[in-house]
Amino acid sequence: MKTHFGNSSRRLRLQTLVRLRWLAVAGQTMSVVVVALFLEFPMPLITCAVLIGALAAANFALAMAFPSTHRLEPLSAFAVLGLDLLQMAALLYITGGLANPFAPLICVPVIISFASQPSRHSLALMALAVLCISALAFTPYPLPWYPGRTHVIEPVILVGTWCSIVSMTAFAAFYAYRVSQEATLLADALSATELILQREKHLSQLDGLAAAAAHELGTPLATISVVAKEMERELGKDPRFGEDVQLLRSQSERCRDILKRLASMSAEDEEHMRRLPLSSLIEEVVAPHREFGIRLKLVETSDRASEPVGTRNAGILYGLGNLIENAIDFAREQVTITTRHDAQSVTIVIEDDGLGYSPDVLVRIGEPYVTSRSRDDRAGGLGLGLFIAKTLLERSGARLQFQNGSTDRPGARVTVTWPRSLMDADSPK
């Protein structure tokens, strides 16, 4: 099952941009006021006010035209961020270009785009930013400075400033993109984990559902049975309806017997099904994987008489089942499952006789990445399923260790360890 969660989540919320824009308007206004009024540097005050006013007017129009919960399509977000970029570039162009100490702020729209938009739109915005940065290097407008003095920047410094702003833009954009991608991937994987856990819990609750159904159906079925008896008494010897009435009564009695057995079975087995010894847990996890042509060897190194008896946990059952399934996928002939327990801990070791984990996979194992799976690869197909299993087991309090076997016993080994108190229902938590 492949589920896509991230497409809509990558759309930028309009309210976020609106708030950032108001912050930009406030910051630009404050900078112009400080430079023109407090420092008394000569500058094109009217042109600056027009550019800042245009940004404020566009922002106000967007806020009025769309609800705050509106999410922008990638093309619309590109247009909005592109407008912000051009407005910032124009403001810098008339106030000294790359000599302006605020010139690095031109990278902000690009970083926002790489953090929230598809790569093709972000790359286009970055190309536009590079063009704007290049244009700033050729501005004829001097940096606002003390009257009668001109702030001159040497060409070498100008080239260095251009390189630093472009490289900073590229680095910050790439960093924002990677962080955003990893966060989205992690969120999608956690959503898939929650869906799996809900499904497992739903399956484990079917027993209680059957008992509730038996209880609820008992009353109407008893009424049907009483009516059937009355009909049999009146019409039992009628040649037209007698046989049908007798059949109706016999089938209603049969339904009552089935519901009675279902209810009694649930009541008797509920506690047994809720509490699960370690050996029974392993057998329940292993049972679905016995028919895949790989020999499953169970090794118990501790006395079964003192084994922990815990509460059924759907996350543990699914997580261990996924680890065993992965071991079977990459095993040659055999998968060995070893259990041991003492007063402090409970440990389950799953080993296969395959080629083991490749070094690049071993350092990334448990991350929510997805690759192709093949029995011929060196465990290169581990991905979302293993992440889900690892997350569910860690939620139950387990610690997982992934490693390769020794040279004389190659293969992959997964060690899952719980504190004894978490696996024993009778232990004080």
Side-chain angles (χ1 to χ4, degrees):
M1 180 185 68
K2 187 176 181 180
T3 307
H4 297 278
F5 296 95
N7 294 336
S8 62
S9 64
R10 297 278 293 176
R11 294 182 181 177
L12 192 60
R13 196 164 62 134
L14 179 62
Q15 187 179 31
T16 302
L17 272 185
V18 168
R19 289 177 176 175
L20 289 175
R21 273 181 154 195
W22 285 129
L23 183 62
V25 168
Q28 292 174 6
T29 302
M30 185 178 299
S31 300
V32 170
V33 169
V34 169
V35 171
L37 301 183
F38 288 91
L39 298 179
E40 298 182 349
F41 289 170
M43 63 182 302
L45 193 59
I46 296 178
T47 307
C48 291
V50 169
L51 288 173
I52 296 174
L55 181 63
N59 203 37
F60 182 77
L62 279 177
M64 293 293 100
F66 299 96
S68 60
T69 56
H70 180 72
R71 290 188 177 272
L72 295 172
E73 295 290 336
L75 191 59
S76 301
F78 171 78
V80 172
L81 292 172
L83 179 62
D84 294 345
L85 180 63
L86 293 174
Q87 187 268 351
M88 172 66 73
L91 192 60
L92 291 171
Y93 188 81
I94 63 174
T95 55
L98 294 184
N100 193 312
F102 294 101
L105 290 176
I106 198 170
C107 71
V108 172
V110 179
I111 296 174
I112 294 174
S113 180
F114 272 92
S116 60
Q117 298 303 304
S119 57
R120 63 181 184 275
H121 297 84
S122 300
L123 289 172
L125 191 66
M126 185 171 182
L128 178 61
V130 172
L131 291 176
C132 291
I133 296 170
S134 301
L136 294 180
F138 300 99
T139 177
Y141 297 95
L143 178 72
W145 205 241
Y146 294 102
R149 297 169 57 184
T150 303
H151 186 75
V152 180
I153 299 181
E154 296 295 330
V156 174
I157 298 298
L158 197 63
V159 172
T161 303
W162 182 91
C163 292
S164 66
I165 294 178
V166 170
S167 59
M168 181 190 68
T169 302
F171 175 79
F174 176 75
Y175 183 81
Y177 176 77
R178 288 299 303 165
V179 170
S180 175
Q181 286 290 100
E182 290 179 4
T184 301
L185 193 59
L186 182 61
D188 292 351
L190 290 175
S191 297
T193 303
E194 294 295 338
L195 292 177
I196 291 292
L197 187 59
Q198 288 178 9
R199 186 186 69 178
E200 294 298 317
K201 287 183 177 180
H202 175 72
L203 292 176
S204 66
Q205 292 170 353
L206 287 180
D207 182 67
L209 183 62
H215 176 75
E216 293 296 328
L217 291 174
T219 300
L221 196 57
T223 303
I224 294 174
S225 180
V226 170
V227 174
K229 288 181 181 179
E230 294 294 332
M231 293 178 64
E232 184 181 19
R233 184 180 300 113
E234 297 294 332
L235 303 173
K237 298 180 180 180
D238 191 308
R240 294 175 301 171
F241 306 111
E243 185 177 348
D244 292 338
V245 171
Q246 292 174 3
L247 179 62
L248 175 63
R249 184 189 171 190
S250 66
Q251 292 302 309
S252 65
E253 292 293 339
R254 182 184 175 189
C255 289
R256 289 187 63 186
D257 292 340
I258 293 174
L259 290 180
K260 186 183 298 183
R261 288 199 303 270
L262 186 61
S264 62
M265 178 183 66
S266 178
E268 293 169 0
D269 295 348
E270 182 178 0
E271 184 64 20
H272 168 72
M273 295 296 292
R274 191 177 68 86
R275 295 168 63 86
L276 201 62
L278 179 63
S279 57
S280 299
L281 182 148
I282 296 299
E283 182 59 35
E284 183 170 334
V285 170
V286 168
H289 305 286
R290 292 189 182 277
E291 305 299 328
F292 291 96
I294 299 296
R295 185 168 65 255
L296 294 177
K297 180 181 179 182
L298 302 181
V299 179
E300 298 183 36
T301 61
S302 304
D303 186 7
R304 184 175 288 192
S306 60
E307 69 177 340
V309 179
T311 303
R312 176 181 293 274
N313 186 313
I316 293 178
L317 293 172
Y318 179 86
L320 291 177
N322 186 273
L323 295 180
I324 293 174
E325 181 181 352
N326 280 330
I328 291 174
D329 284 342
F330 297 102
R332 292 173 175 174
E333 296 180 357
Q334 177 176 295
V335 172
T336 304
I337 302 165
T338 306
T339 64
R340 58 178 177 268
H341 52 83
D342 53 32
Q344 285 76 39
S345 63
V346 177
T347 301
I348 299 174
V349 181
I350 302 170
E351 301 172 281
D352 63 65
D353 58 354
L355 295 176
Y357 302 112
S358 60
D360 59 325
V361 169
L362 195 57
V363 298
R364 298 173 55 205
I365 208 161
E367 293 182 9
Y369 64 94
V370 179
T371 59
S372 59
R373 163 169 289 197
S374 171
R375 288 179 61 95
D376 297 328
D377 293 333
R378 292 190 64 197
L382 306 177
L384 185 59
L386 185 56
F387 170 83
I388 293 174
K390 182 174 181 291
T391 302
L392 291 176
L393 290 172
E394 288 178 342
R395 283 187 176 185
S396 71
R399 290 183 293 106
L400 282 78
Q401 183 179 10
F402 299 88
Q403 56 190 166
N404 287 323
S406 57
T407 54
D408 57 332
R409 291 188 60 186
R413 179 188 300 131
V414 183
T415 304
V416 188
T417 305
W418 291 268
R420 173 76 183 234
S421 60
L422 296 180
M423 293 294 285
D424 201 333
D426 296 327
S427 296
K429 301 297 191 288

